[in-house]
Every structure is written in C-alpha cells, then in structure tokens.
Amino acid sequence: MMDSVKYRLTVGYDGAGYQGWQMQVVGTGVQEILEKALAKLFSCGPRVHSSSRTDTGVHAVGMVVHFEVPKTEARMTPTKLVLAVNAHLPEDVRVLAASHPPQNFHARFDASGKEYRYLLWNHAAHHPLLRKQSWHVKKPLDLAAMRAAAKHFVGTHDFRSFRANPDYDTAHTVRTLTAVTIRGTGPLHTVVIRGTAFLYKMCRGIVGTLVQVGEGRIQPADIREILEGRDRRLAGMTAPAHGLVLWKVFYGKKAKGTQSADPNETGE
Amino acid sequence: MMDSVKYRLTVGYDGAGYQGWQMQVVGTGVQEILEKALAKLFSCGPRVHSSSRTDTGVHAVGMVVHFEVPKTEARMTPTKLVLAVNAHLPEDVRVLAASHPPQNFHARFDASGKEYRYLLWNHAAHHPLLRKQSWHVKKPLDLAAMRAAAKHFVGTHDFRSFRANPDYDTAHTVRTLTAVTIRGTGPLHTVVIRGTAFLYKMCRGIVGTLVQVGEGRIQPADIREILEGRDRRLAGMTAPAHGLVLWKVFYGKKAKGTQSADPNETGE
C-alpha cells in the first residue's frame, strides 16, 4: 500500500487576478494554475487538496495544500520542488514551502485552525501603495468601539448571521473564534481573525460589521443580539474581498480550542 | 507683500510607473503629474517645491512639497484641496494631507531629517503580494551580522563611499544618520534609515552593503574602513529601487541632530 508519496505545500497568491481558489465556470482559479504547473513536473497530473477555498479576489500567504504522486514519480526533494514548481507558475502565485507530511496527512481534514488578516486604510485618500490590498474607509473610525465589538465575536457562537449565502450549509453554522483583534496605529489597521473554522464569507461579514461599528451605525453591544438573531440581514455589510488574506493554517496542537475543521467548510 | 498663500502637501506614490520625482528627458516624473493636477485647480499653474527627489522606481508615503498661489486663488481649504487634487491624479499618486504652513515655510530648506524604509524579503521564492515592493534576496541572511554592521553607519560620517554618482556634488559628502535599524521576524525585514540628509542613492548603497554583510561577503567591522576609504568601489551593491520608500520628512525639532538639509541634496 506504500506506493504513493504525499507532498505538502504552503502557497501564496495575489487574489486580484483569480476567481478564487477553486475553478469557476468563468475565470481561472488558483487551484487550476497550481495543478497545471504540477502536471509539468509529475506525469500523473496530481490533484491538489486545499485547506480552504478562498473567494474571488481574496489573497493568501499561508494556504496549505497536499497532493499525492506514485512513489516512482517522487524523486524530487521538497526543496527542489519549490524551485521547480515556481518556474512554471505565474509571478502572482508562489509555492513558499514544501515538505513530506505523514502519509495520512490531509490539508483540510487535519486543519485545527486558521488565521485571516484584513487590511483597513482609514483615510480621506486611498493608500497609493496598498490600494489593491486594503479596504479604503473614508469616514474616521472609532477604534475603541470596534475593539469592544470584536470581543463579542470570540468564543463558540452560531455565526449564521455572518455568512453570505443563506442557502449554503444550513445544518452546521456553529464556529469557534479564538481571537478577533485590531492592530496598528495611524490610518492603517489590521483585523486579525483566528478560529477553528469559518463559514462562507464569515470573515468579511465580521469585518464589514466592525467597520459599521466604527462608523457609529452599529453599537458594540448589538453584536451579541446580531449573533443570537441568526439572520444575515441583522449584521453589517460584507467587506470587499481585496483586503482579506488567508494568513496561516494551523495543524495539530497549535490552535487553541482545537477541533477538526468542518469537511463542508468553504472559508473565504 | 502678503499677496500669495502657501499650501503644504504630503504626497504618496507607487514609484513603479514613474521615472522618479522629477521630470526626466524620457518618461514621466511624479512632480509633473502633480503639477498638471494642480493646474486644473489653480489657473496660475503653481510649481511645486519638494523636500526630496526620489529616483526612478522609488516609492513614497511621506513626500512633503509646498507651492504658492495668489491670494485671490487660495479660496480652497486644505481639506477640500486633498479631495479636489486627488480627483485629477492617477490612482498611483495620492495627496494624503494638506495644510497652510507659515508663509516662510520651504519643503526642502526647512527639512530637518528624513526616514526611508526598505523592504527585504529573504526567502527561496519571491513574495506573491509584495513582489513589486520588496527586494527578493534568496540566500539566507545573517541578521545579527547585518545589525552589527548597521550600527557603524549611525553618526556623522563622510558617506562618499555610499553614493552612486561620483561626479555629483563632490564638495559636501558628510551626512548624519540618527538610526539604521532592521525590524521584522520571519522572512520579511524592514531596514529603517533615519538621517538629517542623504546623498544620491545613499540609502540603496547602505542596504545593498548590509545585504552583502548578511550574505557573509562583507564583515560588519569592514563598514568603518569602507566609510573611511571614501571610494564607492569599496562598498557593496546598490539595492534595487523598488524596495525603497520615502517614509517621512521631519521639520523643526522632530529630528535628532537637526541641521538644515543640504540645498543640493538629491536623496533617493
């Protein structure tokens, strides 16, 4: 049975040019690009299994994937594979690390948590350098109110009010967030969201709601009611995709409140 | 004599699309773009005076400029000016702040110091999101050696060995740096260089030399000899322009070791 070998890759990409991670009816997914590059190196044409499926325009620096090849095709060391696969990838997609995980490793099923980061630029004019990687919010934000609101998201809650598509995955909408923090001084802020698993567009629903708290349209104490209402119409807007980065995927003991990632998880 | 009014602007730009700050024989300078936008708002067509002249490909988030208009044309408040001028600028150039400085303010002559930041990405693969704003150095860098070398640059030295063009400004090559620090963990590092004034391509000469220290090609203790040698051939390479950002210009008491910026200063 030991006739195949697994590789684990950490992948980063600029989401601007892609219709998300997974192949779409229209447009190109990052997964497709990566599989095409791997097909140049492995004649078996391996299919990659990802920890997450990021949405159109969302970036990543820490996407984790695995794939299997027959042992006869596994001559390349992980270090050489990084160089070889990058030679076949467009410059907005990079394999940043590779390793041989245990043969029973699965990028999605074994993930114990994820960290997303969202970049907010709170200024009258957009950021000339980070304009494609930050959400430009013009109205001055009340950071203290946003930080007070952020605390209400931490813990195990039914996040039904914070996912985009009410038709998707109706059964399991309880998720655990271990941290929602807002870092930075001056006009540039980073919202760090860490949790065991995420619903579709959940991070962007949380960030959009936090910004509306910062603008005074939603009160921090309202977050609890919005969560309890279990209705997407109660929460704030969905923040635009281009500010969001899949920062890191955790495996094993690294994530607090560890539990297996939901196999139906889409993430963002 | 009080027939004119001064405006002070803070300007940011993505240097990728420009041949530096100042108009060139070939290509477009950011100054030209800004003056064209101001000409749409002020019929006098004001000329802008900048604190610095960044080189081709160098970015800025804190460039300071001033310009004068006749009092009869100065009806626009600084806050409105930010919005109005940005409406006439391409999206890779932004006016981030505006004010009315004292009538004797001069963006270049009054500058007491500047801070440049240089982004280094030390990894086998380039950074998929910051690939146009960081120098991709593949060989693992010895950060401790770089930090030891950085200390030798701080203070008042003849920086003749660290400017690019030996024909330029031969008389005055003594400059004072108040800080040269390397921040960051993981593969992303920021070199922060603060000083009262800078020679042409001096920051990039320092960063290129620091990277060669990190690669083991130059020893930290050699920096003192390189400075004392007063010969560009002794120092390391010039780091590429696209990693450098003019971060902030200081006025008045804010910079340590304050002295008037050299009127001949080109900076980078």
Side-chain angles (χ1 to χ4, degrees), chain A residues 91 94 96 123 126 131, chain B residues 91 94 96 123 125-126 131:
Chain A
E91 70 165 16
R94 286 292 103 172
L96 298 170
H123 196 284
H126 69 236
R131 66 195 184 280
Chain B
E91 70 165 15
R94 285 293 103 171
L96 298 170
H123 195 285
H126 69 235
R131 65 194 183 281

Side-chain angles (χ1 to χ4, degrees), chain B residues 155-208:
Chain B
T156 300
H157 304 287
D158 187 336
F159 281 96
R160 187 172 299 231
S161 297
F162 291 90
R163 69 173 168 168
N165 188 340
D167 296 326
Y168 182 82
D169 184 24
T170 47
H172 306 290
T173 53
V174 175
R175 295 290 183 276
T176 301
L177 295 186
T178 52
V180 181
T181 52
I182 304 168
R183 295 181 191 170
T185 52
L188 192 63
H189 307 291
T190 303
V191 184
V192 179
I193 304 180
R194 201 179 281 191
T196 54
F198 294 84
L199 298 167
Y200 186 54
K201 294 194 180 173
M202 177 172 145
C203 277
R204 290 163 58 193
I206 290 171
V207 172

Side-chain angles (χ1 to χ4, degrees), chain A residues 7 9 33-42 67 73-91 93-98, chain B residues 123-126 136 138:
Chain A
Y7 287 94
L9 306 180
I33 295 291
L34 181 58
E35 288 180 346
K36 276 185 184 170
L38 290 172
K40 302 255 168 103
L41 307 173
F42 300 101
F67 65 92
E73 282 211 61
R75 283 176 298 268
M76 210 179 285
T77 65
T79 305
K80 279 197 177 165
L81 178 60
V82 171
L83 301 173
V85 68
N86 281 331
H88 293 289
L89 285 170
E91 70 165 16
V93 179
R94 286 292 103 172
V95 171
L96 298 170
Chain B
H123 195 285
H126 69 235
H136 177 206
K138 292 179 191 175

Side-chain angles (χ1 to χ4, degrees), chain A residues 12-14 59 61 86 91-92 94-96 121 123 125-129 131-133 245, chain B residues 12-14 59 61 86 91-92 94-96 121 123 125-129 131-133 245:
Chain A
Y13 45 90
D14 183 336
H59 315 290
V61 296
N86 281 331
E91 70 165 16
D92 52 3
R94 286 292 103 172
V95 171
L96 298 170
W121 174 247
H123 196 284
H126 69 236
H127 194 300
L129 278 166
R131 66 195 184 280
K132 292 173 183 168
Q133 291 158 30
V245 182
Chain B
Y13 45 89
D14 183 336
H59 315 290
V61 296
N86 281 332
E91 70 165 15
D92 53 3
R94 285 293 103 171
V95 170
L96 298 170
W121 173 248
H123 195 285
H126 69 235
H127 193 299
L129 278 166
R131 65 194 183 281
K132 292 174 183 168
Q133 290 157 31
V245 183

